[in-house]
């Protein structure tokens, strides 16, 4: 068993943790384990560790400000936080658009939202897996609260033109929000959200050599989001729970 | 010299497609992330390919296993209209910066053995013969 050959060609499922990433994380488990919210230096200095990590992720997204970056536990949580967060913050619209080829964390959430009374339009793809964007634009109307579109598909690797989609959607309805699931794009193509019309973007560390259990959500500063997990003041009140310092530290080296 | 992820992916893809007559690329779209390829093997079961690859130490996946744990064919390939004959035999290979050329060479070498063995056991011999004839293979 142990000396069986291992050729790992399933990196869209998950990846090996980078040894250097692991090295930087380790001291935060048993040496610098203080709660970042504590008043004393031993805890409080971990605020700085998180602040640095947030800056790193800000640059990774190509975001304008570290205030636009939230840590989550996974790509699935990022999607749920974004989609639920938008819909809970503004209940005036009941139409949603997504694609037929999203990951289950988006698709099954939309199935649930349909049960809760939302109308969802699912956009198809052609035989090469490319999105029928014209069909998407034609579906946008004054009741459209949100469009979710993945950046790269986990099964085929096809890249969708998310920047163009966001721009076109906003030109049809400027109040429609756009969520991009970039879980399979992160680490493979350069992200650069700040000069786009994309409102929110989610990523997951374990898909690009960070550990499982850490993800991130970018939320443009102008976008109002209701929290999914309610409790303490962490993550600017948008996601309660004592911060995962070692993991945030190293979502990206 | 290390080959880039994209070069290795292309090598794997071309290696498989040129050696296996009942293999088809499930998307030839140019705009793809550099590490992923999805190949359909006509008239055979993807799960059987994966189990045979597992015996050789090669980890890959089929859409069905990764999204639902069930044997339903992938909703992504279905949305693309991948023909029924290849839908159940589709495999995703996804590389990383740790993937080596030796690993890709080994996979290219083993894939025809695995696929030919399963193809010989397929109940669709008539269709496979027609496919060979269409491709000019005797
Ligand atoms: C496109 C896409 N989105 C979201 C996810 C979910 O990420 P996580 O496993 O971190 O929840 C995945 C994982 O397979 C994915 O491929």
């Amino acid at each position: 068993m142990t000396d069986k050959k291992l050729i790992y060609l399933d990196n869209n499922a998950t990846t090996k943790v980078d040894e250097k990433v692991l090295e930087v994380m380790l001291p935060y488990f048993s040496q610098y384990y203080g709660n970042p919210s504590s008043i004393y230096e031993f805890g409080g200095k971990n605020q700085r560790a998180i602040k640095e990590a947030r800056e790193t992720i800000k640059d990774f997204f190509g975001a304008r400000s570290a205030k636009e970056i939230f840590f989550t536990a996974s790509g699935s949580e990022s999607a749920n936080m974004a989609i639920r967060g938008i819909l809970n913050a503004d209940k005036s619209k009941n139409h949603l658009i997504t694609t037929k080829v999203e990951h289950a964390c988006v698709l099954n959430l939309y199935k649930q939202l349909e049960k809760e009374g939302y109308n969802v339009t699912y956009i198809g793809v052609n035989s090469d897996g490319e999105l029928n964007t014209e069909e998407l634009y034609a579906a946008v109307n004054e009741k459209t609260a949100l469009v979710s579109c993945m950046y790269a598909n986990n099964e085929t690797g096809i890249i969708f033109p998310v920047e163009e989609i966001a721009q076109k959607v906003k030109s049809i309805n400027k109040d429609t929000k756009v969520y991009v699931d970039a879980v399979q794009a992160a680490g493979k193509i350069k992200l650069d959200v700040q000069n786009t019309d994309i409102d929110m973007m989610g990523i997951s560390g374990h898909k690009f050599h960070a550990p499982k259990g850490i993800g991130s959500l970018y939320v443009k500063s102008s976008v109002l989001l209701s929290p999914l997990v309610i409790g303490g003041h962490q993550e600017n009140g948008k996601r309660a729970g004592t911060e995962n310092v070692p993991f945030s530290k190293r979502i990206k080296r | 010299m290390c080959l880039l992820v994209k070069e290795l992916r292309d090598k794997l893809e071309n290696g498989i497609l040129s050696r296996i007559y009942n293999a088809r690329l499930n998307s030839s779209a140019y705009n793809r992330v550099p590490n992923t390829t999805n190949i359909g093997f006509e008239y055979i079961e993807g799960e059987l390919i994966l189990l045979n690859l597992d015996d050789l130490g090669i980890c890959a996946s089929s859409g069905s296993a990764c999204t639902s744990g069930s044997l339903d064919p992938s909703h992504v390939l279905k949305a693309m209209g991948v023909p029924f004959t290849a839908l159940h035999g589709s495999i995703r290979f996804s590389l990383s910066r740790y993937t080596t050329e030796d690993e890709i060479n080994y996979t290219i070498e083993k894939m025809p053995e695995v696929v030919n063995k399963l193809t010989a056991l397929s109940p669709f011999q008539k269709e496979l013969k027609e496919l060979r004839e269409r491709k000019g293979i005797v």
Side-chain angles (χ1 to χ4, degrees), chain A residues 172-205:
Chain A
I172 302 166
N173 183 347
K174 65 173 175 35
D175 295 328
T176 300
K177 300 293 186 287
V178 177
Y179 174 66
V180 172
D181 174 353
V183 167
Q184 292 294 346
K188 296 169 189 153
I189 45 184
K190 192 168 170 6
L191 306 178
D192 189 14
V193 279
Q194 70 170 296
N195 295 314
T196 73
D197 287 312
I198 296 165
D199 294 293
M200 299 170 292
M201 184 181 275
I203 61 174
S204 179

Side-chain angles (χ1 to χ4, degrees), chain A residues 74-76 103 105 150 154 181 183-184 204 206-207:
Chain A
S74 65
S76 301
H103 185 267
C105 70
M150 67 201 327
N154 43 306
D181 174 353
V183 167
Q184 292 294 346
S204 179
H206 76 96
K207 304 285 185 180

Side-chain angles (χ1 to χ4, degrees), chain A residues 4-7 9-13 18 100 102 107 125 127-129 153-159 188 209, chain B residues 27-29 31-33 35-36 38 54 57-59 61 63 74-76 80 92 94-98 106:
Chain A
K4 185 176 161 186
K5 201 179 183 96
L6 175 72
I7 296 183
L9 299 177
D10 202 14
N11 288 278
N12 287 6
D18 185 317
K100 289 183 180 168
E102 295 298 301
L107 220 42
V125 295
S127 61
D128 265 334
N153 185 271
N154 43 306
E155 292 188 33
T156 58
I158 305 292
I159 298 168
K188 296 169 189 153
H209 308 294
Chain B
S27 168
S28 52
N31 218 7
R32 277 189 290 163
V33 288
N35 79 317
T36 310
N38 194 307
D54 190 19
I58 300 172
C59 308
S61 76
S74 141
H75 71 287
V76 176
M80 289 165 66
R92 174 189 73 189
S94 48
L95 287 61
S96 81
R97 58 179 148 94
Y98 295 108
Y106 179 77

Side-chain angles (χ1 to χ4, degrees), chain A residues 136-165:
Chain A
L136 191 156
Y137 305 142
V140 180
N141 63 49
E142 72 283 355
K143 296 295 264 177
T144 310
L146 181 68
V147 172
S148 315
C149 176
M150 67 201 327
Y151 206 145
N153 185 271
N154 43 306
E155 292 188 33
T156 58
I158 305 292
I159 298 168
F160 289 157
V162 288
E163 294 183 7
E164 184 192 312
I165 289 168

